[in-house]
């Protein structure tokens, strides 16, 4: 049962408003509570902490069996290409992702172990499963997933990112098996590649067309497979913290990293995924504790949040 906080947020999100996304037939607004089988993240069993070598965001993609327009955003590609050499610098521009990565992995491990019926406490719970990390950057998510036993393909549209990822993965025999490709999700769809789980963390806010991007993610997911997306809510609190504070006051991120208008609300993401044949099953927020310098999972989805969904049967 959802917490009072989540229920209040859901009522606000699903309340009729002029700018609310309507259902596919444009006849009425959706109620998020009916779209998601909500779990409080605090109710989920917490797996042991994942040991890994320091986390990933942007790239772009988007297309499916039909010819969809590309979701690539050339300005975003240039932006991240300029700082590609710093992916594995834990004190560099990607420091926030390095700090957040253990929390992201805790959610992924818990949600996907439940989905695939795996033991979250074993060393390699994802053995025998095929994962694709869309917008893998330098490989900071791909590598820990490989260490958890998954057969990982990491894709990114920025060639420098892929070169950095390959170089770092080759330092460890376990991660050297990761397949890194400089390509896009839509191209993999055209090649009819399929994966048990498709992950796109901190990517969708950097693409040109979020709907086309989600269609591509769906096209890469096997029937009854899993999709995991994390992003930033388009809220005033997110503007104050993720842009004003993080980029202009604390200098955690390069100025201009994020564009508030590109953020998606949880409601919008649920509906976009639903139209791409993915049903969101669980959602959680990320909160930062300035006293400990660490992120933790929360029911508060007002700023950073992550969603796990399942692909409908064909």
């Amino acid at each position: 049962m959802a917490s009072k906080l989540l229920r209040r947020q859901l009522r606000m999100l699903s309340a009729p408003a002029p700018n609310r996304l309507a259902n596919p037939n444009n006849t009425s607004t959706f109620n998020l509570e009916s779209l998601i089988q909500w779990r409080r993240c605090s109710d989920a069993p917490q797996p042991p902490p994942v040991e890994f070598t320091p986390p990933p965001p942007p790239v772009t993609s988007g297309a499916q069996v039909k010819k969809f327009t590309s979701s690539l955003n050339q300005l975003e590609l240039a932006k991240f290409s300029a700082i590609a050499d710093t992916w594995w610098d834990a004190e560099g521009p990607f420091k926030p992702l390095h700090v957040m990565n253990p929390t992201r992995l805790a959610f992924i491990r818990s949600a996907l172990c439940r989905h695939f019926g795996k033991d979250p406490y074993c060393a390699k719970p994802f053995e025998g499963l095929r994962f694709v990390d869309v917008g893998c950057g330098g490989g900071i998510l791909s590598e820990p997933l490989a260490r958890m036993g998954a057969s990982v393909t990491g894709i990114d549209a920025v060639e420098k990112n892929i070169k950095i990822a390959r170089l770092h993965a080759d330092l460890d025999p376990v991660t050297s098996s990761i397949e890194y490709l400089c390509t896009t999700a839509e191209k993999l769809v055209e090649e009819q590649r399929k994966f048990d789980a498709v992950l796109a963390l901190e990517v969708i806010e950097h693409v040109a067309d979020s709907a086309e991007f989600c269609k591509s993610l769906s096209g890469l997911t096997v029937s009854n497979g899993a999709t995991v997306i994390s992003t930033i809510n388009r809220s005033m609190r997110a503007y104050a913290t993720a842009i004003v504070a993080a980029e202009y006051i604390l200098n955690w991120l390069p100025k201009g990293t994020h564009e508030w208008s590109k953020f998606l609300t949880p409601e919008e993401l649920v509906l976009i995924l639903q139209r791409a044949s993915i049903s969101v099953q669980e959602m959680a927020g990320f909160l930062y504790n300035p006293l400990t310098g660490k992120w933790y999972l929360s029911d508060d989805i007002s700023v950073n949040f992550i969603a796990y969904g399942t692909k409908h049967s064909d």
Side-chain angles (χ1 to χ4, degrees), residues 14-208:
S14 56
N19 63 346
R20 286 266 178 250
L21 281 176
N23 71 9
N25 298 317
N26 293 320
T27 57
S28 63
T29 56
F30 277 109
N31 185 316
L32 272 185
E33 280 188 301
S34 67
L35 294 178
I36 308 176
Q37 299 172 11
W38 284 99
R39 287 178 60 102
R40 288 195 339 176
C41 66
S42 53
D43 292 338
Q46 295 302 312
V50 180
E51 289 188 11
F52 73 101
T53 341
V59 66
T60 33
S61 323
Q64 215 200 14
V65 183
K66 298 178 184 177
K67 289 196 174 180
F68 295 98
T69 55
S70 172
S71 64
L72 288 174
N73 185 321
Q74 295 302 326
L75 290 177
E76 293 291 324
L77 295 183
K79 181 192 303 180
F80 288 101
S81 178
I83 55 176
D85 293 340
T86 64
W87 267 107
W88 288 95
D89 179 1
E91 296 298 322
F94 296 109
K95 179 179 178 178
L97 289 180
H98 286 268
V99 178
M100 185 188 285
N101 217 33
T103 310
R104 302 193 305 178
L105 287 165
F107 178 90
I108 291 168
R109 185 171 188 148
S110 176
L112 296 189
C113 280
R114 287 196 307 276
H115 178 86
F116 293 110
K118 301 287 188 176
D119 179 6
Y121 295 97
C122 74
K124 295 188 175 183
F126 299 143
E127 206 155 28
L129 296 173
R130 297 160 300 159
F131 287 9
V132 62
D133 179 10
V134 180
C136 65
I140 22 191
L141 179 68
S142 295
E143 289 197 12
L145 292 175
R147 291 192 180 94
M148 284 189 271
S151 174
V152 179
T153 296
I155 68 170
D156 202 294
V158 177
E159 189 173 0
K160 287 176 68 176
N161 287 345
I162 293 299
K163 288 180 178 178
I164 293 294
R166 284 177 181 154
L167 285 171
H168 196 275
D170 286 343
L171 298 176
D172 184 340
V174 176
T175 57
S176 61
S177 62
I178 298 173
E179 177 189 29
Y180 282 118
L181 302 171
C182 183
T183 187
T184 62
E186 58 255 82
K187 288 181 181 177
L188 286 191
V189 172
E190 290 173 4
E191 295 168 12
Q192 299 185 355
R193 295 286 300 270
K194 293 284 186 178
F195 301 89
D196 299 301
V198 176
L199 303 98
L201 306 194
E202 279 68 59
V203 177
I204 196 168
E205 67 268 26
H206 299 287
V207 304

